[in-house]
Every structure is written in C-alpha cells, then in structure tokens.
Amino acid sequence: MRIERPKEIERFGAIRFGELQRIFELDSGPGNGDSPVVNSAIMQVGSQALAEVQKDMAIIVPVRNERLKLVEGVLCGIPHPCLIIVVSNSPRDPVDRFGMEQDALQEFCTFTGKQAVILHQKDPIIARALAKVGYRSVLGEGRQVRDGKAEGMLLGTLLARLAGKKYVGFVDADNYFPGAVEEYVRVYSAVFATCESPYTMVRIAWHSKPKIVESKLFFRKWGRTTTRTNEFLNRLLAHYTGYDTDIIKTANAGEHAMTMELAMALDYSSGYSIEPYHIINLIEQFGGIHESEALRQLQHRIEVYQVESRNPHLHEAGDDSHIDDMSYQAMQVIYHSSVCPDRLRKDLHRVMVSNEYCTPHAKPRRPRYFPPLQTLDFNKFSAAIADHPQAKLILGGNL
Ligand code: GDD
Ligand code: MG
C-alpha cells in the first residue's frame, strides 16, 4: 500500500492530528520484505509488512440485525491473518438472528480455515464477569450489557486484549462492498507498520457515499452528521490554539483502529457518540488543557492519522430519525465535555434546540461514560469467563 504522508500536523498537547492523507496505491507490491519505506512524501508498505501487522490485529465487527448476506461480505473482506471478533446485539426471538449469524460465521471459518470469535452483547457469562471485576457502568437492566454500538465495541476490545492482540480495528457489518472493508483494514495495517508511537489511532474518511439522485449515481462526499461534528471539533481546537483549522475530517469515523495501549487508555461513551468522543477524550486526557494524571504518566506522543479511502462507502441507509439521533449523540459528548468552551456550548445548544433535540430551557442529556478498560483486573476477568464456550478461542493465545 502506498499512502501520502500527512503534510500538515496540528499539535495539541501531546496529540498530533495529521491532515487527511490520500492513498496512491492499494497494493504497492511486496516491498522490502517486512520493512516499510517512509520518507517525507509517502509511506510504502509491502504486502509482507501488512500481513505482519495483521497477525497482531483483531477486527471487531459490531452487528445488530443486519442482513446476513451483508455480514458475510464484510467477513470476506477482512484479510486472512486478522482475528475476527463479531459482537452481535441481534435478537434471538422470535427468530434467532444471532443463531443464524453464528452458523454463517462457522461456515465462513470452515471454508477459510480460520477461527473467529462471536459473542452476543447480552451474553450472561460476560456480564457476570464484568460485574465481578467491578466494571458495572456498562451493565443495565437485568445486569446485562446495555444496547449500543459503543457498548459492543467495548466488549470486542476487551476480548481482543485477552487474545493478546496489539491492534484493534473496527468495521461496520452493513457494508455492501467487501473490497472497501479490505481497503480499510489495509490502511489500518499500513499506518501501524509505520507509526512511531505506541499510542496511535487511524480514522477513515470515506471517499464518498454513492446515492441515486435524479436517476443518476451521485458520489456524495460529506454526510450531514459528519460535516456538523467536524465543524464543532475544529472550532474547539481553534478556540485553544487561536488559529482557525479544518484539520478534523473524521469526527464520526465508524471505521477506525487503535493500538491496544491507546484503546486501553481511553474512556468510552455510549452508542454512536463514541467516535467523536475519542477525539474529545484524547483532548481531555492528553490535550494539556486541564491537569491530567494520564498526561503526566504518558511517555510518548499520541498520533492521530486520517486517511481517505478510495472505495466508495455503500451501506444500509439510516432514516432521518437515525441521522438525527447520531448527530444529537455527537453534540451531547462535545457539549458535556469539560474542555468545551462556553461559546461553543451555547452554539451547540442553539443547534440542538433548532433541531428539536432538546428544549430551550433544558440542557441536553448527558451520555453514559465508561472508564478506561485498563482499570480492569484482566486475570480475574479471564478466570470468570473460563467456562465460556468461546473461552479457549479467546484465551488460547494461538489465534
Ligand atoms: N454490537 C452492536 N450493538 N452493534 C450495533 C449496535 C448495537 O447495539 N447498534 C448498531 N450496531 C452495528 C450495526 O449493525 C452496524 O454494523 C454498525 O454498528 C454501525 O451501525 P449503523 O446503524 O449502520 O450506523 P450508521 O451506518 O448510521 O453510522 C455509521 O457511520 C457513522 C459515520 O457516518 C456508524 O459507524 C457510526 O458510528 C458512525 O459515526
Ligand atoms: Mg451503517
């Protein structure tokens, strides 16, 4: 893979936000075995080097009630060396959708000679283990893990950590193009093969989202939620630096990946607010605005890469209320952050009121937050899931 280097970098406390990078070649050949070539203009990572990273990477696929054919396509796009972890919140009743996903994954594994983990978000053994180690904020009614994409991602990340993986990446399950999924994972791998810090995050900016407009295909670049959230995050950065910026292009990037060190250090927030919250929480912990123990302890800088994919992103389209919900969740986490400047908070409130997300005299709801996973006692957790049917796969260490 050949990707341009970020030309501009916005430095913010210990964080380096890189400018959007373009991809020149999806496959740049075998390269120099497993040593990537990096100069001031490009990073070139050969296939062997990509595979080396992928052996250490778990790809988490959060699923909730998606068409099985779509999920199968997504699985087939994930490069073979990666460990696949499917976290499903699909119903089991009246039709056992989760059972169908399990069957499909089993069949996929038989034909590909792979092992993959599949877990239901409401799995009682996992919930009990979380309670045992005191990670209760993620548990809701009936002491089950709460609904929500972030909640599923959090479980997947925990399993990836137990499986000893060094990197964790996310891809949505409703992608129509397996080739796009493959591209995202190749981008994650290329960045991890070349990054300098063990605290690195890579976020994908979709090339476009194709839509039919007046009976023609139109390749729309920016969605409503992303445009808005990007603007708010950029204003937040500009408030502190005193310089206008448009560096953030991936505020809502569902497709993203992190080194395990970073994934363990970040706080999480619920549902679809998680992607903007990654940026917010990085700033809260490592931006140097407030006193922070995490920043004092940090030995490295944090690198955030943003890469524009070449494949268009075609997925199951959500309706307007879904988009509104996602926008609202993004605004909630910015509004409630201690690093949100007053002026921006007022503007956020105005936009939320004008969209009827909240009333003029009420504050928007606070999202739920979950503490960093590194606070967990992993040995205790492993012991608590030892009887789980997937325990051997998760804890076996030979995945
Ligand atoms: N495990 C689990 N639990 N998965 C879930 C849940 C849940 O409660 N809710 C949704 N998912 C899965 C979906 O099945 C899909 O695979 C993925 O999470 C994304 O959910 P969508 O509902 O398809 O989200 P979207 O397409 O509208 O938004 C995506 O893109 C946004 C950027 O434009 C998401 O990735 C957002 O997080 C992202 O901000
Ligand atoms: Mg989707």
Side-chain angles (χ1 to χ4, degrees), residues 166-191:
K166 289 189 194 156
Y167 311 104
V168 60
F170 301 90
V171 292
D172 286 353
D174 61 344
N175 197 323
Y176 279 90
F177 295 155
V181 173
E182 188 198 3
E183 182 187 6
Y184 303 150
V185 179
R186 289 174 75 88
V187 169
Y188 303 160
S189 318
V191 168

mmCIF file of all heavy atoms in Angstrom, residues 166-191:
data_model
loop_
_atom_site.group_PDB
_atom_site.id
_atom_site.type_symbol
_atom_site.label_atom_id
_atom_site.label_comp_id
_atom_site.label_asym_id
_atom_site.label_seq_id
_atom_site.Cartn_x
_atom_site.Cartn_y
_atom_site.Cartn_z
ATOM 1 N N LYS A 166 -2.253 -6.755 19.495
ATOM 2 C CA LYS A 166 -1.595 -5.450 19.716
ATOM 3 C C LYS A 166 -2.394 -4.295 19.122
ATOM 4 O O LYS A 166 -2.166 -3.136 19.453
ATOM 5 C CB LYS A 166 -0.232 -5.440 19.017
ATOM 6 C CG LYS A 166 0.807 -6.308 19.660
ATOM 7 C CD LYS A 166 2.136 -6.000 18.990
ATOM 8 C CE LYS A 166 3.175 -7.029 19.309
ATOM 9 N NZ LYS A 166 4.222 -7.077 18.291
ATOM 10 N N TYR A 167 -3.272 -4.648 18.181
ATOM 11 C CA TYR A 167 -4.044 -3.602 17.494
ATOM 12 C C TYR A 167 -5.497 -4.025 17.428
ATOM 13 O O TYR A 167 -5.805 -5.212 17.312
ATOM 14 C CB TYR A 167 -3.547 -3.407 16.053
ATOM 15 C CG TYR A 167 -2.065 -3.260 15.940
ATOM 16 C CD1 TYR A 167 -1.279 -4.319 15.488
ATOM 17 C CD2 TYR A 167 -1.434 -2.073 16.295
ATOM 18 C CE1 TYR A 167 0.100 -4.193 15.387
ATOM 19 C CE2 TYR A 167 -0.057 -1.940 16.200
ATOM 20 C CZ TYR A 167 0.702 -3.010 15.748
ATOM 21 O OH TYR A 167 2.057 -2.882 15.660
ATOM 22 N N VAL A 168 -6.367 -3.024 17.443
ATOM 23 C CA VAL A 168 -7.777 -3.325 17.323
ATOM 24 C C VAL A 168 -8.415 -2.368 16.317
ATOM 25 O O VAL A 168 -8.188 -1.158 16.363
ATOM 26 C CB VAL A 168 -8.438 -3.288 18.726
ATOM 27 C CG1 VAL A 168 -8.294 -1.942 19.392
ATOM 28 C CG2 VAL A 168 -9.870 -3.667 18.674
ATOM 29 N N GLY A 169 -9.145 -2.958 15.354
ATOM 30 C CA GLY A 169 -9.783 -2.139 14.312
ATOM 31 C C GLY A 169 -11.268 -2.465 14.246
ATOM 32 O O GLY A 169 -11.693 -3.546 14.664
ATOM 33 N N PHE A 170 -12.044 -1.524 13.717
ATOM 34 C CA PHE A 170 -13.498 -1.699 13.660
ATOM 35 C C PHE A 170 -13.990 -1.541 12.232
ATOM 36 O O PHE A 170 -13.537 -0.628 11.529
ATOM 37 C CB PHE A 170 -14.193 -0.641 14.537
ATOM 38 C CG PHE A 170 -13.740 -0.729 15.965
ATOM 39 C CD1 PHE A 170 -12.641 -0.004 16.411
ATOM 40 C CD2 PHE A 170 -14.374 -1.582 16.850
ATOM 41 C CE1 PHE A 170 -12.187 -0.109 17.711
ATOM 42 C CE2 PHE A 170 -13.940 -1.698 18.156
ATOM 43 C CZ PHE A 170 -12.837 -0.965 18.592
ATOM 44 N N VAL A 171 -14.887 -2.423 11.828
ATOM 45 C CA VAL A 171 -15.582 -2.227 10.547
ATOM 46 C C VAL A 171 -17.058 -2.521 10.761
ATOM 47 O O VAL A 171 -17.417 -3.475 11.455
ATOM 48 C CB VAL A 171 -15.027 -3.123 9.401
ATOM 49 C CG1 VAL A 171 -13.615 -2.725 9.009
ATOM 50 C CG2 VAL A 171 -15.078 -4.604 9.730
ATOM 51 N N ASP A 172 -17.915 -1.688 10.169
ATOM 52 C CA ASP A 172 -19.355 -1.901 10.292
ATOM 53 C C ASP A 172 -19.763 -3.142 9.501
ATOM 54 O O ASP A 172 -19.135 -3.484 8.492
ATOM 55 C CB ASP A 172 -20.119 -0.676 9.778
ATOM 56 C CG ASP A 172 -20.040 0.493 10.754
ATOM 57 O OD1 ASP A 172 -19.510 0.302 11.864
ATOM 58 O OD2 ASP A 172 -20.521 1.589 10.397
ATOM 59 N N ALA A 173 -20.860 -3.760 9.938
ATOM 60 C CA ALA A 173 -21.287 -5.030 9.338
ATOM 61 C C ALA A 173 -22.212 -4.834 8.148
ATOM 62 O O ALA A 173 -22.602 -5.798 7.507
ATOM 63 C CB ALA A 173 -21.997 -5.862 10.398
ATOM 64 N N ASP A 174 -22.586 -3.575 7.847
ATOM 65 C CA ASP A 174 -23.614 -3.358 6.827
ATOM 66 C C ASP A 174 -23.019 -2.778 5.545
ATOM 67 O O ASP A 174 -23.665 -2.031 4.832
ATOM 68 C CB ASP A 174 -24.721 -2.439 7.369
ATOM 69 C CG ASP A 174 -24.192 -1.058 7.756
ATOM 70 O OD1 ASP A 174 -22.961 -0.906 7.904
ATOM 71 O OD2 ASP A 174 -25.010 -0.127 7.894
ATOM 72 N N ASN A 175 -21.779 -3.145 5.254
ATOM 73 C CA ASN A 175 -21.079 -2.600 4.093
ATOM 74 C C ASN A 175 -21.342 -3.471 2.857
ATOM 75 O O ASN A 175 -21.138 -4.680 2.904
ATOM 76 C CB ASN A 175 -19.583 -2.567 4.415
ATOM 77 C CG ASN A 175 -18.819 -1.671 3.478
ATOM 78 O OD1 ASN A 175 -19.128 -1.612 2.289
ATOM 79 N ND2 ASN A 175 -17.843 -0.970 3.996
ATOM 80 N N TYR A 176 -21.790 -2.836 1.785
ATOM 81 C CA TYR A 176 -22.099 -3.600 0.562
ATOM 82 C C TYR A 176 -20.857 -4.006 -0.216
ATOM 83 O O TYR A 176 -20.933 -4.833 -1.107
ATOM 84 C CB TYR A 176 -23.016 -2.773 -0.353
ATOM 85 C CG TYR A 176 -24.468 -2.838 0.051
ATOM 86 C CD1 TYR A 176 -25.012 -1.926 0.941
ATOM 87 C CD2 TYR A 176 -25.297 -3.833 -0.445
ATOM 88 C CE1 TYR A 176 -26.336 -1.996 1.323
ATOM 89 C CE2 TYR A 176 -26.630 -3.908 -0.073
ATOM 90 C CZ TYR A 176 -27.139 -2.986 0.808
ATOM 91 O OH TYR A 176 -28.462 -3.076 1.184
ATOM 92 N N PHE A 177 -19.717 -3.357 0.059
ATOM 93 C CA PHE A 177 -18.509 -3.640 -0.739
ATOM 94 C C PHE A 177 -17.433 -4.314 0.105
ATOM 95 O O PHE A 177 -16.724 -3.636 0.871
ATOM 96 C CB PHE A 177 -17.916 -2.344 -1.307
ATOM 97 C CG PHE A 177 -18.779 -1.629 -2.302
ATOM 98 C CD1 PHE A 177 -18.640 -0.260 -2.496
ATOM 99 C CD2 PHE A 177 -19.713 -2.310 -3.076
ATOM 100 C CE1 PHE A 177 -19.420 0.421 -3.424
ATOM 101 C CE2 PHE A 177 -20.507 -1.646 -3.994
ATOM 102 C CZ PHE A 177 -20.357 -0.269 -4.171
ATOM 103 N N PRO A 178 -17.263 -5.626 -0.042
ATOM 104 C CA PRO A 178 -16.178 -6.305 0.684
ATOM 105 C C PRO A 178 -14.819 -5.684 0.373
ATOM 106 O O PRO A 178 -13.937 -5.634 1.235
ATOM 107 C CB PRO A 178 -16.257 -7.744 0.164
ATOM 108 C CG PRO A 178 -17.657 -7.909 -0.328
ATOM 109 C CD PRO A 178 -18.094 -6.560 -0.818
ATOM 110 N N GLY A 179 -14.670 -5.164 -0.850
ATOM 111 C CA GLY A 179 -13.392 -4.546 -1.235
ATOM 112 C C GLY A 179 -13.095 -3.297 -0.417
ATOM 113 O O GLY A 179 -11.933 -2.973 -0.143
ATOM 114 N N ALA A 180 -14.151 -2.581 -0.005
ATOM 115 C CA ALA A 180 -13.945 -1.392 0.836
ATOM 116 C C ALA A 180 -13.471 -1.827 2.217
ATOM 117 O O ALA A 180 -12.565 -1.220 2.800
ATOM 118 C CB ALA A 180 -15.247 -0.602 0.946
ATOM 119 N N VAL A 181 -14.049 -2.911 2.724
ATOM 120 C CA VAL A 181 -13.643 -3.415 4.044
ATOM 121 C C VAL A 181 -12.159 -3.791 3.997
ATOM 122 O O VAL A 181 -11.376 -3.445 4.891
ATOM 123 C CB VAL A 181 -14.499 -4.648 4.440
ATOM 124 C CG1 VAL A 181 -13.986 -5.279 5.720
ATOM 125 C CG2 VAL A 181 -15.965 -4.255 4.561
ATOM 126 N N GLU A 182 -11.778 -4.481 2.932
ATOM 127 C CA GLU A 182 -10.375 -4.887 2.808
ATOM 128 C C GLU A 182 -9.465 -3.656 2.793
ATOM 129 O O GLU A 182 -8.422 -3.609 3.448
ATOM 130 C CB GLU A 182 -10.170 -5.703 1.526
ATOM 131 C CG GLU A 182 -8.770 -6.288 1.472
ATOM 132 C CD GLU A 182 -8.357 -6.714 0.081
ATOM 133 O OE1 GLU A 182 -9.129 -6.510 -0.881
ATOM 134 O OE2 GLU A 182 -7.227 -7.234 -0.043
ATOM 135 N N GLU A 183 -9.918 -2.633 2.068
ATOM 136 C CA GLU A 183 -9.112 -1.407 1.993
ATOM 137 C C GLU A 183 -8.937 -0.778 3.377
ATOM 138 O O GLU A 183 -7.842 -0.361 3.752
ATOM 139 C CB GLU A 183 -9.766 -0.402 1.038
ATOM 140 C CG GLU A 183 -8.933 0.872 0.892
ATOM 141 C CD GLU A 183 -9.635 1.961 0.083
ATOM 142 O OE1 GLU A 183 -10.809 1.808 -0.281
ATOM 143 O OE2 GLU A 183 -8.971 2.994 -0.172
ATOM 144 N N TYR A 184 -10.022 -0.704 4.152
ATOM 145 C CA TYR A 184 -9.924 -0.087 5.485
ATOM 146 C C TYR A 184 -8.876 -0.827 6.330
ATOM 147 O O TYR A 184 -8.047 -0.199 6.988
ATOM 148 C CB TYR A 184 -11.274 -0.124 6.227
ATOM 149 C CG TYR A 184 -12.432 0.547 5.498
ATOM 150 C CD1 TYR A 184 -13.740 0.106 5.669
ATOM 151 C CD2 TYR A 184 -12.223 1.615 4.635
ATOM 152 C CE1 TYR A 184 -14.801 0.715 5.000
ATOM 153 C CE2 TYR A 184 -13.272 2.219 3.971
ATOM 154 C CZ TYR A 184 -14.561 1.768 4.148
ATOM 155 O OH TYR A 184 -15.597 2.362 3.489
ATOM 156 N N VAL A 185 -8.934 -2.163 6.274
ATOM 157 C CA VAL A 185 -8.012 -2.930 7.128
ATOM 158 C C VAL A 185 -6.566 -2.774 6.625
ATOM 159 O O VAL A 185 -5.623 -2.703 7.409
ATOM 160 C CB VAL A 185 -8.430 -4.417 7.205
ATOM 161 C CG1 VAL A 185 -7.459 -5.203 8.069
ATOM 162 C CG2 VAL A 185 -9.856 -4.542 7.746
ATOM 163 N N ARG A 186 -6.405 -2.670 5.316
ATOM 164 C CA ARG A 186 -5.054 -2.443 4.780
ATOM 165 C C ARG A 186 -4.529 -1.082 5.237
ATOM 166 O O ARG A 186 -3.355 -0.927 5.557
ATOM 167 C CB ARG A 186 -5.073 -2.506 3.244
ATOM 168 C CG ARG A 186 -5.297 -3.899 2.708
ATOM 169 C CD ARG A 186 -5.455 -3.872 1.198
ATOM 170 N NE ARG A 186 -4.185 -3.667 0.524
ATOM 171 C CZ ARG A 186 -3.366 -4.648 0.176
ATOM 172 N NH1 ARG A 186 -3.686 -5.899 0.426
ATOM 173 N NH2 ARG A 186 -2.226 -4.401 -0.431
ATOM 174 N N VAL A 187 -5.414 -0.087 5.268
ATOM 175 C CA VAL A 187 -4.991 1.243 5.733
ATOM 176 C C VAL A 187 -4.563 1.163 7.203
ATOM 177 O O VAL A 187 -3.497 1.672 7.584
ATOM 178 C CB VAL A 187 -6.135 2.282 5.572
ATOM 179 C CG1 VAL A 187 -5.798 3.584 6.282
ATOM 180 C CG2 VAL A 187 -6.422 2.538 4.103
ATOM 181 N N TYR A 188 -5.379 0.502 8.023
ATOM 182 C CA TYR A 188 -5.018 0.379 9.443
ATOM 183 C C TYR A 188 -3.608 -0.235 9.538
ATOM 184 O O TYR A 188 -2.752 0.240 10.294
ATOM 185 C CB TYR A 188 -5.971 -0.554 10.214
ATOM 186 C CG TYR A 188 -7.446 -0.229 10.204
ATOM 187 C CD1 TYR A 188 -8.403 -1.213 10.503
ATOM 188 C CD2 TYR A 188 -7.913 1.049 9.926
ATOM 189 C CE1 TYR A 188 -9.757 -0.940 10.518
ATOM 190 C CE2 TYR A 188 -9.277 1.325 9.939
ATOM 191 C CZ TYR A 188 -10.191 0.320 10.229
ATOM 192 O OH TYR A 188 -11.541 0.585 10.243
ATOM 193 N N SER A 189 -3.416 -1.309 8.767
ATOM 194 C CA SER A 189 -2.152 -2.060 8.871
ATOM 195 C C SER A 189 -0.976 -1.198 8.416
ATOM 196 O O SER A 189 0.095 -1.229 9.035
ATOM 197 C CB SER A 189 -2.202 -3.323 8.010
ATOM 198 O OG SER A 189 -3.448 -3.947 8.126
ATOM 199 N N ALA A 190 -1.179 -0.448 7.328
ATOM 200 C CA ALA A 190 -0.086 0.381 6.800
ATOM 201 C C ALA A 190 0.317 1.440 7.826
ATOM 202 O O ALA A 190 1.506 1.718 8.037
ATOM 203 C CB ALA A 190 -0.515 1.043 5.490
ATOM 204 N N VAL A 191 -0.672 2.015 8.482
ATOM 205 C CA VAL A 191 -0.365 3.046 9.483
ATOM 206 C C VAL A 191 0.390 2.424 10.661
ATOM 207 O O VAL A 191 1.413 2.952 11.115
ATOM 208 C CB VAL A 191 -1.645 3.776 9.947
ATOM 209 C CG1 VAL A 191 -1.366 4.624 11.184
ATOM 210 C CG2 VAL A 191 -2.184 4.660 8.831
#
